Amino acid sequence: MSTAAPAIKDHRALRFLTAGSVDDGKSTLIGRLLYDSRAILADQLDTLEKKAAGQPIDLSLLTDGLEAEREQGITIDVAYRYFATKQRKFIIADAPGHEQYTRNMVTAAAGSDAAVVLVDITKLDTSAKPVPLLPQTRRHALLAHLLRVPSIVFAVNKLDAAADPAHAFKAVSESLTAFAKQAGIAVAGIIPVSALRGDNVTQPLDADWYDGPSLLQLLESLPALQERKDGDLLIPVQYVSREGEGTGNQPRTLYGRVAHGRVKPGDEVQIFPSGQTAIVAEVRLASEVVDVVEAGRSAGVVLDRQLDVSRGDWIATPKTVHETNRFSATLAWLDTEPAQVGRKYWVRHGNRWVQARIASIESRLDIHSLEATEAHQLAVNEIGHVIVETQQALPVESYESNRVGGSLIIVDPASNRTSGALLVKGAA
Amino acid sequence: MNAPLTVEQLLPELDHTHLDWLEEEAIFILRETVAAFERPALLFSGGKDSCVVLRLAEKAFKTRGKDGEFKGRLPFPLLHVDTGHNFPEVIEFRDRRVAEMGERLVVGHLEDSIKRGTVRLSHPLESRNGHQTVALLEAIEEHRFDVLMGGARRDEEKARAKERIFSHRDSFGQWQPKEQHPELWTLFNTRIKPGEHMRAFPISNWTELDVWLYIARENIPLPTLYYAHDRKIIRRKGLLVPLTEVTPPEGDEQIETAQVRFRTVGDMTCTCPVESPAANATDIVAETLKVTVSERGATRMDDRTSDASMERRKKEGYF
């Protein structure tokens, strides 16, 4: 029985992160999204209602409950929250907005389809022309852009507190647009909201000066990240099925999520690093034999001959993989122990673990000006440009062209901590 | 048994592609776990979440023949910690499913830990839920498991919302929230030291509604407890306490019969059903859906809560 793999449509769950400090109304905005989409459990709501004692409930308490836990010493980069509308499921990567935002934002941004950057309009001089933006608005937007979050949305919050919201929003929009253009950021939308009152969050704004979507309408329409289905095939081998081992007549199945391209029976493929070639005899999706499996989904590949293939290898269109053991990358350092040039670390690329070292630190990103400055070390929450050497050659691609081939993590061999994230620029 | 229904037929107004995506992610995580560790096991209690994970594991590791049946065997055993206070329907279901599927089941008995003296009860009818950990860790040590796959979900409670998909446990088996590794892309850091282990949660990103949608779509067998049935209960502090040998009536409490179903099936001493006429997974999806995407407005709150939590609300003050 052969069936075609059902395609994942654009409307799969949207993962998005929220950026902006707590004062900008991030907690209230998340609370508002959860509240208006009915994702809050009755017992949580009871607690809020009791605290409110007859007054309108404070939605920020939904996330502040977690902050109280943090004060007791439970500091965790990201919490995940869920809500759904009739059209779509959403996963919010809720990164705490305090000063150590880089580490949190890197974690939340890796794998996010969108970033919502909050702009607190009460902190801006909307009579100036152009309106000067706060440094953290620029930083958060630029970091999201640097980490290649596909859709960046500005939510201009606290419109309820503006004397002339129409003018204020127009002035801030112009300033945001100019900044984004200058920085090369493609903006998915600039949305006026009042998280406190619920204006234009899930319900469209009733105002003659704005006819755009509500924040939720925009989020419902944003694309989920899609790997490229056209072009060359690339599959990092995740798991080799041992099924039938010893019987001698059952082929091995090579499982892995297709990074780009598609795989179908009859395709000629090459295995890396061994360089052996074979023809695809059968492809599977989950437990079913299918005609084709496209990028973004896990394929089971059976080859027409027995080759020595193991976890960490790559299945690809012949002659398309270029391996190198020296490459340049953006490094986001996450560990309290600073990054050291020359020290041996473990890195993970695809499904392969290899030893590696940072050959040199070329520069550090000044998190305030976002300019490259000279550096010899990277401390926690710092981002730099580095050259990495690996003990074995890896088929790295630029992060910009392919996230699977372009991302690595660095693990400290002594502590096993995930110390850094690498976004590949190219061979060096 | 439910007739097989597609979720599209079930709830045509919902966009269901996220179920495919959740399935894809879960299968990816299950394969990652088996590939990255030496001695994995799957926690299987017979509860709805572990039944979902079990089906996902079949899809990840077995092939389906022309008859629609899964062939082969999972590359790991199932592990259950039996508190001795489990609902008999659940234990019966667990053993039947394992036998039907031809899988290996390892059971860690809390009674054994009590006999060994590693668990001491303060009184015979004490809830054994909290003591499960001891028996679980003893089973991990005995069988030298280095990773346990489980059906925990981040939407269950606040602490779970923070836990990673691959969650590190130290040599005492403890989760250290402060020491969690950031989890970047799908480049999971699965490195552990001897004596440590990991927990892997393939359905972290699922909600209760997703679980029921999937059960309905895949026609996954569950213990009968999950569906509406008549049960002797006691109304206590806003909860429907099931009448069992370990939860007898206190004082002059009235025993009555109610139509109930269980939303979770844990230890008998601490698991209460809710009043519900939902007789199959489709009905439960409809009920669960009301909880999350009902019409807006606080006046409709009452519709969204189960009877039990509604009562709790009233007793807790309800200004």
Side-chain angles (χ1 to χ4, degrees):
Chain A
M1 190 176 67
S2 174
T3 48
I8 293 181
K9 285 184 237 157
D10 265 342
H11 260 47
R12 69 196 214 206
L14 187 84
R15 292 172 176 245
F16 69 94
L17 69 109
T18 49
S21 57
V22 178
D23 290 347
D24 294 347
K26 192 169 71 73
S27 307
T28 309
L29 182 72
I30 294 172
R32 174 60 66 186
L33 283 166
L34 298 176
Y35 180 76
D36 283 358
S37 61
R38 302 262 151 270
I40 300 169
L41 298 176
D43 51 342
Q44 293 173 304
L45 207 57
D46 287 345
T47 314
L48 294 189
E49 281 175 351
K50 268 187 276 177
K51 278 188 185 153
Q55 299 296 308
I57 60 170
D58 180 357
L59 292 171
S60 73
L61 292 175
L62 282 170
T63 48
D64 287 349
L66 288 170
E67 275 157 9
E69 287 174 31
R70 280 191 206 105
E71 281 161 20
Q72 291 161 35
I74 308 174
T75 304
I76 296 175
D77 306 77
V78 184
Y80 297 90
R81 294 157 199 290
Y82 303 84
F83 70 98
T85 64
K86 287 192 174 178
Q87 278 74 42
R88 203 168 201 188
K89 180 188 170 89
F90 295 93
I91 302 175
I92 310 177
D94 178 13
H98 54 70
E99 265 183 51
Q100 294 181 341
Y101 47 80
T102 315
R103 177 192 154 100
N104 299 326
M105 262 199 72
V106 170
T107 306
S112 275
D113 304 305
V116 177
V117 179
L118 261 89
V119 179
D120 180 350
I121 205 160
T122 63
K123 289 182 187 156
L124 302 177
D125 177 6
T126 53
S127 62
K129 209 166 166 63
V131 178
L133 298 172
L134 292 182
Q136 71 190 17
T137 301
R138 303 162 61 95
R139 268 199 301 273
H140 288 157
L142 284 162
L143 275 170
H145 177 62
L146 182 75
L147 297 164
R148 302 284 166 215
V149 178
S151 299
I152 295 174
V153 176
F154 290 105
V156 182
N157 192 23
K158 303 194 186 175
L159 258 291
D160 55 292
D164 182 354
H167 166 77
F169 176 69
K170 186 166 176 283
V172 172
S173 290
E174 282 169 6
S175 192
L176 286 168
T177 305
F179 155 67
K181 196 177 170 196
Q182 185 202 353
I185 302 172
V187 178
I190 303 175
I191 311 289
V193 296
S194 163
L196 187 69
R197 265 196 336 222
D199 296 345
N200 211 34
V201 179
T202 62
Q203 294 303 304
L205 191 67
D206 184 20
D208 52 11
W209 54 269
Y210 181 75
D211 58 1
S214 68
L215 179 62
L216 188 62
Q217 282 173 328
L218 179 69
L219 292 173
E220 280 178 338
S221 71
L222 290 179
L225 240 162
Q226 298 281 341
E227 307 302 346
R228 290 183 50 211
K229 290 172 183 163
D230 56 336
D232 300 330
L233 172 71
L234 187 71
I235 306 175
V237 176
Q238 182 189 27
Y239 172 65
V240 180
S241 163
R242 282 176 291 221
E243 162 210 351
E245 200 160 42
T247 64
N249 54 14
Q250 272 179 293
R252 292 184 154 207
T253 309
L254 315 172
Y255 289 103
R257 189 180 274 171
V258 182
H260 50 72
R262 58 185 79 199
V263 61
K264 57 184 190 307
D267 287 350
E268 190 188 9
V269 293
Q270 192 170 17
I271 306 298
F272 293 90
S274 75
Q276 298 163 295
T277 57
I279 305 292
V280 174
E282 185 179 289
V283 291
R284 291 187 192 153
L285 181 78
S287 52
E288 316 272 352
V289 175
V290 294
D291 296 334
V292 61
V293 179
E294 296 185 319
R297 305 205 87 175
S298 289
V301 177
V302 179
L303 301 177
D304 69 338
R305 66 203 79 172
Q306 290 282 2
L307 296 184
D308 181 11
V309 185
S310 48
R311 172 172 164 86
D313 291 353
W314 299 71
I315 304 170
T317 306
K319 301 191 177 81
T320 56
V321 166
H322 307 285
E323 295 183 294
T324 175
N325 55 8
R326 192 178 157 89
F327 58 88
S328 73
T330 301
L331 169 61
W333 196 252
L334 313 170
D335 202 332
T336 45
E337 200 171 305
Q340 276 180 34
V341 171
R343 196 183 153 203
K344 278 186 192 140
Y345 294 97
W346 284 108
V347 296
R348 180 177 176 164
H349 177 244
N351 299 314
R352 189 182 292 282
W353 288 96
V354 300
Q355 287 210 316
R357 65 177 152 245
I358 301 164
S360 64
I361 296 174
E362 305 286 285
S363 62
R364 171 171 48 214
L365 189 73
D366 183 315
I367 218 74
H368 302 288
S369 67
L370 287 153
E371 279 164 14
T373 57
E374 203 183 316
H376 303 288
Q377 227 185 25
L378 289 180
V380 65
N381 288 314
E382 291 187 331
I383 291 181
H385 176 205
V386 298
I387 306 291
V388 176
E389 280 174 359
T390 55
Q391 186 260 332
Q392 290 169 37
L394 297 173
V396 293
E397 301 181 34
S398 83
Y399 186 76
E400 180 137 31
S401 66
N402 177 245
R403 293 203 313 173
V404 179
S407 59
L408 301 92
I409 55 167
I410 295 186
V411 171
D412 187 312
S415 65
N416 279 342
R417 281 199 297 267
T418 305
S419 299
L422 285 164
L423 289 74
V424 176
K425 290 186 169 176
Chain B
M1 193 58 61
N2 312 307
L5 268 179
T6 67
V7 280
E8 286 79 5
Q9 287 171 311
L10 197 65
L11 293 159
E13 75 278 20
L14 273 183
D15 185 290
H16 295 290
T17 48
H18 78 268
L19 272 189
D20 297 333
W21 176 83
L22 287 170
E23 180 187 72
E24 162 65 37
E25 180 184 60
I27 288 173
F28 180 82
I29 294 163
L30 286 164
R31 288 186 184 142
E32 180 72 13
T33 310
V34 170
F37 292 88
E38 302 281 325
R39 296 176 69 87
L42 174 67
L43 286 165
F44 181 68
S45 63
K48 67 178 188 308
D49 298 319
S50 58
C51 286
V52 164
V53 177
L54 188 59
R55 168 58 52 89
L56 291 162
E58 288 187 288
K59 290 200 169 195
F61 300 107
K62 295 186 178 186
T63 53
R64 230 198 273 237
K66 288 190 167 62
D67 55 2
E69 296 295 316
F70 289 102
K71 312 286 179 207
R73 203 186 201 195
L74 297 175
F76 44 77
L78 312 183
L79 170 65
H80 183 225
V81 176
D82 190 341
T83 62
H85 285 174
N86 288 99
F87 288 95
E89 296 98 320
V90 178
I91 297 298
E92 182 275 323
F93 172 86
R94 178 198 76 185
D95 293 340
R96 185 162 45 81
R97 277 304 286 155
V98 168
E100 283 167 4
M101 295 173 67
E103 297 301 333
R104 289 162 288 164
L105 175 72
V106 176
V107 180
H109 292 279
L110 190 64
E111 292 294 344
D112 293 343
S113 304
I114 295 169
K115 280 184 204 141
R116 272 193 290 269
T118 47
V119 166
R120 293 194 185 206
L121 301 173
S122 54
H123 69 91
L125 295 189
E126 182 188 355
S127 170
R128 295 182 170 193
N129 220 30
H131 295 300
Q132 276 189 76
T133 313
V134 175
L136 174 65
L137 293 177
E138 285 173 355
I140 291 170
E141 203 162 327
E142 185 191 340
H143 298 276
R144 292 183 291 119
F145 294 130
D146 54 4
V147 64
L148 295 182
M149 294 164 273
R153 307 190 320 266
R154 282 176 178 151
D155 81 325
E156 289 175 77
E157 48 135 1
K158 283 180 179 181
R160 281 283 307 132
K162 302 171 163 202
E163 194 165 0
R164 299 286 173 259
I165 288 172
F166 281 90
S167 183
H168 178 260
R169 302 296 155 125
D170 67 15
S171 56
F172 288 91
Q174 290 184 324
W175 180 49
Q176 301 280 9
K178 281 198 262 186
E179 304 293 321
Q180 291 207 103
H181 306 312
E183 214 154 62
L184 300 149
W185 300 288
T186 50
L187 296 174
F188 299 111
N189 176 359
T190 46
R191 305 184 79 87
I192 54 170
K193 293 174 184 169
E196 300 175 341
H197 73 276
M198 285 267 194
R199 306 277 168 89
F201 301 113
I203 62 168
S204 281
N205 287 325
W206 297 45
T207 61
E208 187 182 7
L209 177 65
D210 297 326
V211 165
W212 279 111
L213 280 166
Y214 196 70
I215 289 165
R217 179 171 101 170
E218 298 287 318
N219 206 21
I220 297 173
L222 293 186
T224 52
L225 238 55
Y226 278 107
Y227 303 113
H229 59 285
D230 287 335
R231 181 171 288 269
K232 287 200 168 81
I233 55 108
I234 302 148
R235 294 184 193 271
R236 184 186 297 160
K237 294 177 188 164
L239 293 170
L240 309 183
V241 178
L243 182 71
T244 68
E245 76 244 29
V246 293
T247 49
E250 291 170 4
D252 59 352
E253 282 179 332
Q254 294 294 307
I255 298 167
E256 57 181 289
T257 301
Q259 192 182 34
V260 298
R261 70 174 172 92
F262 285 83
R263 284 176 75 173
T264 60
V265 294
D267 201 64
M268 278 196 294
T269 53
C270 62
T271 308
C272 295
V274 294
E275 287 192 290
S276 166
N280 54 47
T282 316
D283 291 351
I284 296 175
V285 166
E287 258 188 31
T288 311
L289 201 61
K290 272 192 208 156
V291 170
T292 48
V293 285
S294 75
E295 284 180 312
R296 59 199 316 274
T299 52
R300 306 291 294 269
M301 260 297 299
D302 300 1
D303 297 348
R304 310 192 307 104
T305 63
S306 68
D307 289 341
S309 48
M310 182 61 204
E311 285 196 20
R312 214 174 319 163
R313 242 175 109 219
K314 284 179 180 166
K315 291 194 176 175
E316 280 178 3
Y318 203 31
F319 284 102

